[in-house]
């Protein structure tokens, strides 16, 4: 859980920081529209496409304000980045249409967009220099480490509150944790916890830039910071043990071989005779694909496609695949390890491929891979990989790999599912 002491004190701390103090309305926390407007002010972005390009071109002059080392920057505390923002679905009915889905609940893809915007603002709150009108830093999403759902139902007509703050800082990277709650039956109840990892780059988003160090205050904040160190170490270990780099473990090899043996046709003495076991489906038949043409409307403040938009599209495709596979409406359990490998340029052809890669009990693990297609060279470049864990209220078929590549996807999905279950227990 997040530091409740830090988060509960967020509202009283807003006036100390630039982020909320400058956009607070008569003592009220800002809504998400105001959060995005403030982000545009921070970097000098425009809502007009033509002016936006010119404004970003002028950002190059801000490079002179970048620190040459982290030692040059003043240390900040967790309170300095504490942010609270509201999504007034209850008090502003006109806003509900954007967030409503046909199940009379909230579109979770829209929540992903809001979390991404808020994480950026939290990190700018940590790095803000009040002597400057604009920030020389370009802060972008590197990784969504984890989103854990505490509640399956998000009401479309009740106000939502987001709180968050920076919990760990490296030399050029920042971990931000956020908490979302919803006002229902007279009180706010927990909905989700999210951990994002952001990176700071120069004004033109070309190279890494130094950020302010973080000084924990007291044993509780020290424990939060140390958890950030543990999270970083875990991410390095998972990357090192990736199936794209090293062979599966002995236990995993045995698992795959047993899956293979279960699909052999006993009527033939052949390794090629494969049959589908009862109540199961080939992985090849558990796919769903999509295509997005990346228009300027979906750009972020740095003139690239908004990371929240990519998350929303990937989530909705993954949800649709889980729905088709399970034969009923799935609920989200967790979002795990969303990696942003490279930015998506405006005008790109974005290909999305969703694969049910692992199932266990009533759970469905879905992997969504996105890549950009260059229509001139016909080359494909991976931009993102997403992992979603869903749950349904009925028995589901087992997904079975056939090829070695599918077996690696199966094991990768099992690893993510096991990690999700372990952290939730």
């Amino acid at each position: 859980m997040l530091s409740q002491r830090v988060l509960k004190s967020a509202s009283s701390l807003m006036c100390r920081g630039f982020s909320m103090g400058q956009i607070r309305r008569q003592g009220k926390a800002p809504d998400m529209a105001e959060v995005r407007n403030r982000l545009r002010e921070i970097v000098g972005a425009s809502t007009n496409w033509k002016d936006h390009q010119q404004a970003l071109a002028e950002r190059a002059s801000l490079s002179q304000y970048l620190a040459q080392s982290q030692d040059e920057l003043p240390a900040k505390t967790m309170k300095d980045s504490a942010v609270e923002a509201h999504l007034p679905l209850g008090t502003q009915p006109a806003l509900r249409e954007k967030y409503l889905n046909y199940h009379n609940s909230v579109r979770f893809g829209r929540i992903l967009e809001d979390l991404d915007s808020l994480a950026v603002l939290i990190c700018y709150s940590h790095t803000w220099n009040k002597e400057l009108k604009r920030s020389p830093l370009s802060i972008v999403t590197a990784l969504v480490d984890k989103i854990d759902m505490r509640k399956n139902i998000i009401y479309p007509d009740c106000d939502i509150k987001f709180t968050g703050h920076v919990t760990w800082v490296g030399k050029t990277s920042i971990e931000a944790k956020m908490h979302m709650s919803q006002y229902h039956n007279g009180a706010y109840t927990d909905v989700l916890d999210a951990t994002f990892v952001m990176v700071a780059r120069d004004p033109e988003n070309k190279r890494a830039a130094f950020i302010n160090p973080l000084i924990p205050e007291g044993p509780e904040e020290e424990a939060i910071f140390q958890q950030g160190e543990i999270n970083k170490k875990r991410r390095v270990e998972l990357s090192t043990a990736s199936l794209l780099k090293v062979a599966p473990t002995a236990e995993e090899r045995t698992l795959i071989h047993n899956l293979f043996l279960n699909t052999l046709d006993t009527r033939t003495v052949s390794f090629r005779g494969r049959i589908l076991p009862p109540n199961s489906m080939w992985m090849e038949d558990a796919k769903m694909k999509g295509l997005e043409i990346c228009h300027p409307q979906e750009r972020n403040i740095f003139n690239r496609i908004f990371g929240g938009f990519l998350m929303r599209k990937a989530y909705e495709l993954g949800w649709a695949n889980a729905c088709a596979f399970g034969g009923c409406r799935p609920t989200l359990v967790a979002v795990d390890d969303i990696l942003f490998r490279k930015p998506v340029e405006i005008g790109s052809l974005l290909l999305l491929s969703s694969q049910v890669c692992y199932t266990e009990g009533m759970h469905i693990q879905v992997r969504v891979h996105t890549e950009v297609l260059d229509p001139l060279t016909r080359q494909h470049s991976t931009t993102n990989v997403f992992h979603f864990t869903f749950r349904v209220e009925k028995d589901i078929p087992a997904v079975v790999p056939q090829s070695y590549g599918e077996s690696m996807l199966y094991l990768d999905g099992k690893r993510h599912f096991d990690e999700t279950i372990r952290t939730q227990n």
Side-chain angles (χ1 to χ4, degrees), residues 126-290:
H126 174 80
T127 61
W128 181 246
N129 181 349
K130 63 181 180 180
E131 303 298 328
L132 301 177
K133 292 184 178 180
R134 294 178 183 174
S135 174
L137 298 176
S138 298
I139 295 178
V140 296
T141 307
L143 173 73
V144 178
D145 192 330
K146 196 74 173 175
I147 299 177
D148 288 316
M149 302 301 298
R150 307 299 178 190
K151 186 177 180 182
N152 291 330
I153 299 176
I154 306 177
Y155 302 100
D157 55 355
C158 297
D159 286 0
I160 288 173
K161 179 172 66 177
F162 298 94
T163 55
H165 61 91
V166 169
T167 52
W168 175 87
V169 166
K171 290 186 179 298
T172 62
S173 57
I174 314 174
E175 180 188 271
K177 286 185 178 288
M178 292 164 286
H179 178 73
M180 174 179 152
S181 57
Q182 186 166 40
Y183 191 80
H184 184 66
N185 289 336
Y188 278 98
T189 56
D190 298 340
V191 177
L192 64 81
D193 293 320
T195 304
F196 280 50
V197 178
M198 321 298 284
V199 292
R201 301 179 67 80
D202 70 354
E204 297 179 275
N205 198 9
K206 292 182 178 180
R207 59 183 177 85
F210 293 107
I211 54 176
N212 304 69
L214 177 65
I215 302 298
E217 294 182 323
E220 184 178 0
E221 291 188 10
E222 182 63 38
I224 295 172
F225 186 86
Q226 289 304 317
Q227 183 60 51
E229 293 281 3
I230 293 172
N231 292 342
K232 178 187 177 182
K233 182 180 179 181
R234 173 180 53 81
R235 289 191 290 266
V236 172
E237 291 174 347
L238 289 175
S239 176
T240 303
S242 169
L243 291 167
L244 293 171
K245 299 178 181 179
V246 298
T249 65
E251 182 181 356
E252 289 173 334
R253 292 195 296 269
T254 300
L255 173 61
I256 292 301
H257 190 66
N258 288 336
L259 284 172
F260 171 74
L261 293 179
N262 288 337
T263 64
L264 288 180
D265 189 347
T266 57
R267 297 170 299 180
T268 65
V269 186
S270 171
F271 287 115
R272 297 192 178 191
R274 307 286 295 278
I275 58 174
L276 192 63
N279 192 32
S280 58
M281 181 184 297
W282 295 120
M283 283 184 68
E284 177 64 28
D285 299 324
K287 293 182 179 180
M288 191 170 288
K289 296 181 180 290

Side-chain angles (χ1 to χ4, degrees), residues 9-29:
S9 63
S11 59
S12 64
L13 294 164
M14 295 309 155
C15 294
R16 288 180 52 186
F18 86 93
S19 55
M20 298 299 103
Q22 294 184 14
I23 58 176
R24 230 169 148 72
R25 299 170 290 112
Q26 298 178 352
K28 296 181 180 179

Side-chain angles (χ1 to χ4, degrees), residues 101-131:
N101 64 25
Y102 69 94
H103 294 294
N104 198 35
S105 181
V106 170
R107 296 173 61 184
F108 189 75
R110 293 293 189 192
I111 299 299
L112 289 174
E113 291 182 328
D114 291 341
L115 288 171
D116 193 52
S117 295
L118 190 65
V120 175
L121 184 56
I122 287 171
C123 294
Y124 272 121
S125 300
H126 174 80
T127 61
W128 181 246
N129 181 349
K130 63 181 180 180
E131 303 298 328

Side-chain angles (χ1 to χ4, degrees), residues 12-81:
S12 64
L13 294 164
M14 295 309 155
C15 294
R16 288 180 52 186
F18 86 93
S19 55
M20 298 299 103
Q22 294 184 14
I23 58 176
R24 230 169 148 72
R25 299 170 290 112
Q26 298 178 352
K28 296 181 180 179
D31 60 29
M32 293 308 301
E34 291 169 319
V35 166
R36 294 188 175 93
N37 287 337
R38 179 56 186 152
L39 287 174
R40 295 188 187 97
E41 293 175 8
I42 292 168
V43 300
S46 171
T47 56
N48 180 277
W49 169 236
K50 184 177 180 180
D51 294 342
H52 183 92
Q53 290 179 306
Q54 180 180 352
L56 289 183
E58 295 173 353
R59 278 183 56 79
S61 63
L62 297 176
S63 294
Q64 61 182 308
Y65 301 112
L66 290 174
Q68 298 305 306
S69 72
Q70 193 176 42
D71 295 335
E72 298 178 16
L73 297 168
K76 298 292 186 74
T77 68
M78 292 185 186
K79 296 183 182 68
D80 290 326
S81 62

